[in-house]
Amino acid sequence: MFGIDDTGRITFATEEFAALLDRTPAELVGTPVDTLVAAEDRETLAEARQAVSSASDRLTRTCRVTLRQSDRSRPVTIELTTADDGSVVGSRCRTAETADPFQHLFDLIQDAVVGFEIVNFVPIVRTVNPAFVETFGYDRDEIVGEPLNEYIVPGDRVEEAVNYDERTAAGEVNYAVVSRKTADGCREFIYRGVPYDTADGRRCGFAMYTDVTDSRRQKRRLRVLHRVLRHNLRNELSVVFGTSEYVRAHAADSSVSLAASRALDAADRLAAVSEKARSVETALDGDADQSVDAAALARSVADSYRPDTPVETALPSTLPVTGGTAVYDAIDNLVENAVEHTLPGTAVRITAEQANGDAFVRVLDDGPGIPAAERAVVFEDADITNLQHGSGLGIWLARWVAETAGGGIEYDRTDGWTTVSLRFPLSDADTEDVLTVLDAPESAAEPTR
């Protein structure tokens, strides 16, 4: 609570109100009240104070203003009331603030948000939240009323920003990854721009910036590291293969020949893991939003193993899902795991169905099941210690494909049967927009319409 005399100066202030301004009550006494709020709010506050102070009877007015704190601004609702001696008593109106949950969200959300008005196709800042102030380093009073792009858009991204502004002016929503100038240098953000029209016909909007710099940099570093390691691994394995073959062919001692054979076997397994890593990268680089026919993909997988390894199927005629052609790789890796890591003659089966609004593709076998250590890592999120062979990476690929599509993976062992289930979101795409697989190449499925 605080008091205002007829000259507009603070006569007293409670500890609670002073704390809102990062001041003490003594520091506020004698301070012109209009200096405590943002410049654009001073007229609103003055009009409310004038109405209350000139009233012949008790009168109360509320107004929304932004208090100027030492390091940031704080929007609050102030209630002004006529005192018995004709002066004005003010207080923070919590009820009015609570009644505006969107303002509460605006103030507390951790993403940087700016409200703007499009004036001659230029976004003019009208308000910013505390996260914007912290991220970009501009105080509210400093940037309100200014062209947004001049403060946060790098010089080489001006044309891109202008294109977004033109879309906003046309009433279109923007969604993109952009680079913007911040208090810590240029950083990358997921940018969402949402336009709206005011009651008096002005085109305004909100821009939200979610910082993704660290995650995108890490992804790029891992991609480079992955490719460099695979390249070097492939080159060095060529030397191992060549040398081991030579030693095995020319060894007079059987023990030396056996050692060379073991080295070749180990190199083969390492090459298989490297190839599996390549297939993971290829599969996950696809469009996870593309609609595909999971039943057709599953049939293609089964056909690719015949006639050497019969794979039974119990599939619907069609099952459109979201997940892209990587769905083929997911199913193929589960079948490969069931075929290669069980004894000859083990029954392998692929089934699919719709249930509870999702699609389920299941790969079953009557082998011994997935080892507990590997199962705990993939299906139960246990700590990763060691993947003993390529099958673990194949199951990881299946899990990642399903999760990227918005689904998941499950493991079950019942009555001697191992079941790995992939869950995918059902697709509502038109039939002609759903991809199928006509032929299944050795490494990846070729999509066709």
Side-chain angles (χ1 to χ4, degrees), residues 172-187:
E172 299 180 47
V173 174
N174 290 308
Y175 184 92
V177 176
V178 300
S179 177
R180 292 292 181 263
K181 295 186 297 185
T182 75
D184 299 318
C186 281
R187 296 184 67 83

Side-chain angles (χ1 to χ4, degrees), residues 3 52 84-85 111-112 123 165 167-168 179 215 223 234 259 268 275 284 299 391 403:
V52 171
D84 293 338
D85 60 359
D111 290 329
D165 297 339
R167 286 174 53 84
T168 301
S179 177
S215 61
R223 186 181 295 273
R234 186 167 56 248
D268 277 332
E275 182 60 25
L284 296 181
R299 275 189 284 271
S391 67
E403 290 180 340

Side-chain angles (χ1 to χ4, degrees), residues 30-100:
T31 302
V33 69
D34 61 354
T35 63
L36 303 179
V37 303
E40 65 272 17
D41 294 332
R42 291 173 184 172
E43 183 176 353
T44 299
L45 179 62
E47 290 177 353
R49 183 176 64 83
Q50 181 63 32
V52 171
S53 63
S54 60
S56 56
D57 296 320
R58 187 179 182 85
L59 180 67
T60 297
R61 286 283 187 272
T62 59
C63 56
R64 184 76 175 176
V65 298
T66 299
L67 298 180
R68 301 175 57 190
Q69 296 174 293
S70 57
D71 59 344
R72 64 187 180 93
S73 300
R74 185 189 187 99
V76 298
T77 300
I78 297 296
E79 183 177 84
L80 302 179
T81 303
T82 309
D84 293 338
D85 60 359
S87 63
V88 176
V89 174
S91 62
R92 179 185 179 186
C93 183
R94 297 182 183 273
T95 302
E97 292 175 17
T98 305
D100 187 0

Side-chain angles (χ1 to χ4, degrees), residues 222-234 237 268-286 329 333 336 387 389-398 400-401 443-444:
L222 288 175
R223 186 181 295 273
V224 170
L225 180 63
H226 176 70
R227 291 181 175 175
V228 169
L229 285 178
R230 279 202 301 107
H231 174 76
N232 291 344
L233 185 62
R234 186 167 56 248
L237 277 177
D268 277 332
R269 291 192 296 271
L270 194 55
V273 172
S274 177
E275 182 60 25
K276 185 69 69 177
R278 185 196 66 80
S279 66
V280 169
E281 181 180 22
T282 300
L284 296 181
D285 274 346
D329 300 276
N333 274 273
E336 179 187 27
L387 295 180
H389 44 63
S391 67
L393 195 55
I395 301 175
W396 274 112
L397 182 149
W400 291 332
V401 169
S443 58

